[in-house]
Amino acid sequence: MAKQITLTHEGKTYVLEYTRKSIEQMERSGFRIEDITEKPITALPTLFAGAFLANERWTKRTVIDDIFDNIVNKTELIGKLAELYNEPLASMLEEPEEDEKNVGWEATF
Amino acid sequence: MGGDLLAEEEPSPTDTPQSMTEVFYEHFPYYLALGMTEWQYWHGDCTLVKHYREAEKIRNRKKNSEFHLQGMYIYEALVCVSPLLHAFAKKGTKAHPYTDKPYPLDKVEAKKYEEEKRKKEKARAREVFDAMVAALAARGLKEESEGIDD
């Protein structure tokens, strides 16, 4: 099951998700994931709006921007959105077969 | 340290990284070949591709087992007819009987197969034993009658 984010705004529940098609549409309209670090002010609302394309296509941009402006825990949300955005690609990467040569890793943050 | 990494050539303009869209289009035919629909690939659950890949692995394993089994049947058939293939085979040489049933594929089937085989062997032994008893009885009767005649 694909990862999703559910949020409620003015009594309406929105299910946010990225599909390959919505990512294609975003990239076609000029969005690049690198922009999140290079131009966060414009890229983050676009990333957020792109998550509406899959299931909430007909939501107006003004409503999306209003939701984004009023959202709490924005930093955490952005992290989750990036994870969500990466999923359609990550799901296509094959895990290597179990082998002695496999390289494990762990983060300290 | 890290000299090798730093010494790498500057990337040429043609080395630009692929966009996600390009990767999606590159893999699209592969997933179509696995049986995914266009809608499932582009609009459906993005993790579905993993399951299609897993299903493909299972399909390949199954196909491999089928080929192996087919090879076993062919091998057995060759073993069965091998006496006939002998250049200096005696006249009247017969082929060994080919298996009358398919090979069991699971434990339950194997158990059933073994049970039937045992029953058959038991029945054959019984037949041999009965024949022996009948032959002995016939010989006994003959000797008896010969004794009476004397």
Side-chain angles (χ1 to χ4, degrees):
Chain A
M1 184 77 191
K3 289 174 187 162
Q4 294 176 330
I5 293 174
T6 311
L7 56 88
T8 308
H9 175 253
E10 291 177 356
K12 191 177 183 313
T13 304
Y14 298 86
V15 179
L16 310 191
E17 184 184 355
Y18 294 102
T19 61
R20 292 190 182 83
K21 194 44 121 186
S22 57
I23 290 177
E24 188 211 5
Q25 284 171 357
M26 287 167 73
E27 286 192 337
R28 207 187 291 157
S29 54
F31 179 80
R32 289 162 63 243
I33 193 69
E34 302 84 50
D35 292 345
I36 291 182
T37 46
E38 289 166 17
K39 309 167 195 164
I41 303 296
T42 49
L44 290 176
T46 312
L47 178 71
F48 184 68
F52 283 74
L53 286 171
N55 303 317
E56 318 292 345
R57 170 168 294 274
W58 309 114
T59 311
K60 284 182 182 167
R61 183 63 195 242
T62 48
V63 177
I64 296 171
D65 287 340
D66 186 42
I67 296 171
F68 189 69
D69 289 341
N70 294 297
I71 216 148
V72 290
N73 266 341
K74 217 169 261 180
T75 319
E76 200 181 323
L77 175 83
I78 289 158
K80 291 284 175 200
L81 278 176
E83 207 176 302
L84 225 63
Y85 185 87
N86 195 38
E87 206 186 18
L89 184 68
S91 64
M92 296 174 83
L93 304 174
E94 190 87 64
E95 277 283 309
E97 306 249 318
E98 274 192 30
D99 191 89
E100 281 177 11
K101 284 182 191 168
N102 286 359
V103 181
W105 64 275
E106 61 180 273
T108 54
F109 56 89
Chain B
M1 245 176 101
D4 286 349
L5 286 173
L6 295 172
E8 270 182 22
E9 284 174 28
E10 281 286 308
S12 70
T14 51
D15 288 343
T16 49
Q18 269 186 312
S19 70
M20 282 169 92
T21 306
E22 281 169 333
V23 176
F24 295 155
Y25 272 105
E26 198 180 299
H27 290 84
F28 185 37
Y30 172 71
Y31 288 100
L32 283 180
L34 294 191
M36 235 177 152
T37 63
E38 186 194 1
W39 192 93
Q40 282 175 325
Y41 185 79
W42 289 107
H43 304 275
D45 183 339
C46 67
T47 59
L48 207 57
V49 287
K50 283 185 200 168
H51 306 296
Y52 268 89
R53 282 202 306 270
E54 274 307 306
E56 175 69 354
K57 276 183 196 167
I58 293 169
R59 255 196 309 269
N60 284 342
R61 276 200 288 268
K62 198 172 152 242
K63 207 188 281 174
N64 199 19
S65 300
E66 279 170 14
F67 287 149
H68 180 250
L69 191 64
Q70 197 178 25
M72 280 170 72
Y73 282 123
I74 292 169
Y75 182 81
E76 195 187 335
L78 283 173
V79 166
C80 289
V81 296
S82 62
L84 303 178
L85 302 174
H86 200 282
F88 305 106
K90 283 181 189 168
K91 208 176 172 187
T93 305
K94 285 180 181 171
H96 295 304
Y98 183 67
T99 180
D100 56 344
K101 272 185 190 145
Y103 299 142
L105 292 178
D106 53 46
K107 279 184 183 174
V108 179
E109 223 179 320
K111 209 176 159 186
K112 213 173 136 186
Y113 191 81
E114 282 300 311
E115 188 80 20
E116 275 177 27
K117 205 171 142 188
R118 222 178 51 231
K119 267 186 192 169
K120 236 181 227 179
E121 275 168 13
K122 219 172 160 181
R124 205 180 308 137
R126 180 92 200 169
E127 266 172 34
V128 170
F129 181 75
D130 286 349
M132 258 170 62
V133 168
L136 280 173
R139 213 168 80 184
L141 274 175
K142 200 179 166 191
E143 278 173 6
E144 212 171 85
S145 64
E146 279 170 1
I148 293 166
D149 290 345
D150 290 342

